[in-house]
């Protein structure tokens, strides 16, 4: 039996790319500075790279599933140009006020569990990285390690909560170093 590998569950908007709020135009996808190197380092360390993203703009009628797919394809192409390939990308298209509650909208864990099944992942050894507390909160119920990488839109109360219940890092590079350098020592 093959051992399950850990994953880095990564938020998309504000963590990998600039948050353009309800992004539907692939031409507007811009990688955040210096994200390829830490992603490549995670890959070399044996982590699967999986995007988990809330996309309530679909339920709100601000973008379509096809718009989302075009943006996802553009992100994949930009990362590939930097030598990085994602293992999977999962999204929640719901908005609770319009479509009702769901288990896939972060901090819900349905998409993480689905990815774990699809990709043979060990969530208890995984990383949950994003710019909002909802991105790192799944680590509290699934195990693993939640790391908040605050961005310009991260509320200060979410940073304080992450300081108490998870980990806070200044950048994706610092988040990866916290995990991998600790393992090396």
């Amino acid at each position: 039996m093959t051992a399950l590998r850990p994953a880095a569950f990564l938020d998309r908007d504000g963590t990998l790319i600039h948050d353009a709020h309800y992004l539907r135009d692939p031409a507007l996808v811009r990688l955040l500075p210096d994200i390829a190197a830490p992603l490549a380092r995670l890959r070399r360390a044996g982590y699967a790279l999986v995007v988990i993203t809330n996309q309530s703009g679909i339920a709100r009628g601000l973008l379509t599933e096809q718009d989302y797919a075009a943006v996802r394809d553009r992100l994949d192409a930009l990362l590939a140009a930097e030598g990085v390939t994602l293992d999977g990308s999962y999204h929640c298209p719901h908005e609770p006020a319009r479509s009702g509650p769901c288990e896939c909208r972060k901090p819900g864990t349905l998409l993480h569990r689905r990815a774990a099944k699809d990709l043979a992942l060990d969530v208890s050894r995984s990383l949950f990285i994003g710019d909002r507390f909802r991105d790192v909160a799944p680590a509290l119920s699934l195990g693993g390690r939640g790391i908040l990488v605050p961005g310009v839109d991260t509320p200060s109360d979410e940073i304080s909560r992450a300081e108490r219940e998870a980990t806070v890092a200044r950048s994706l590079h610092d988040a990866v170093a916290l995990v991998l350098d600790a393992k090396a020592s």
Side-chain angles (χ1 to χ4, degrees):
M1 180 168 190
T2 305
L4 301 178
R5 63 187 170 148
F9 292 107
L10 303 152
D11 178 51
R12 188 189 80 176
D13 303 313
T15 302
L16 298 179
I17 64 173
H18 288 276
D19 191 347
H21 303 288
Y22 309 114
L23 182 59
R24 60 183 290 185
D25 182 353
L28 299 178
V29 176
R30 293 181 317 155
L31 294 176
L32 288 173
D34 304 317
I35 66 157
L39 293 176
R41 188 170 180 212
L42 284 167
R43 162 90 59 220
R44 286 191 306 274
Y47 285 83
L49 303 177
V50 181
V51 170
I52 305 284
T53 180
N54 289 344
Q55 294 296 316
S56 68
I58 296 170
R60 296 170 193 258
L62 301 172
L63 63 139
T64 66
E65 286 285 349
Q66 293 78 18
D67 295 331
Y68 167 78
V71 167
R72 184 194 62 229
D73 291 346
R74 177 69 176 149
L75 171 60
D76 289 348
L78 290 172
L79 289 173
E82 297 286 333
V84 175
T85 304
L86 298 174
D87 292 276
S89 188
Y90 297 78
H91 73 286
C92 171
H94 307 115
E95 200 284 317
R98 288 178 169 76
S99 45
C102 67
E103 292 183 45
C104 61
R105 183 172 177 77
K106 292 181 291 182
T109 61
L110 178 67
L111 297 179
H112 301 85
R113 291 181 282 121
R114 185 175 296 153
K117 182 179 177 188
D118 292 348
L119 303 170
L121 305 173
D122 181 349
V123 294
S124 71
R125 294 188 306 127
S126 293
L127 306 175
F128 300 81
I129 302 172
D131 65 324
R132 300 297 297 263
F133 192 79
R134 66 179 167 249
D135 303 322
V136 302
L140 301 176
S141 60
L142 295 175
R145 185 169 185 183
I147 305 174
L148 183 77
V149 179
V152 295
D153 293 332
T154 307
S156 60
D157 64 318
E158 292 188 22
I159 297 169
S160 297
R161 185 172 180 192
E163 289 172 339
R164 291 188 311 273
E165 300 178 39
T167 301
V168 177
R170 292 178 308 167
S171 66
L172 185 58
H173 180 274
D174 288 350
V176 171
L178 280 171
V179 173
L180 298 184
D181 294 347
K183 286 184 178 184
S185 50

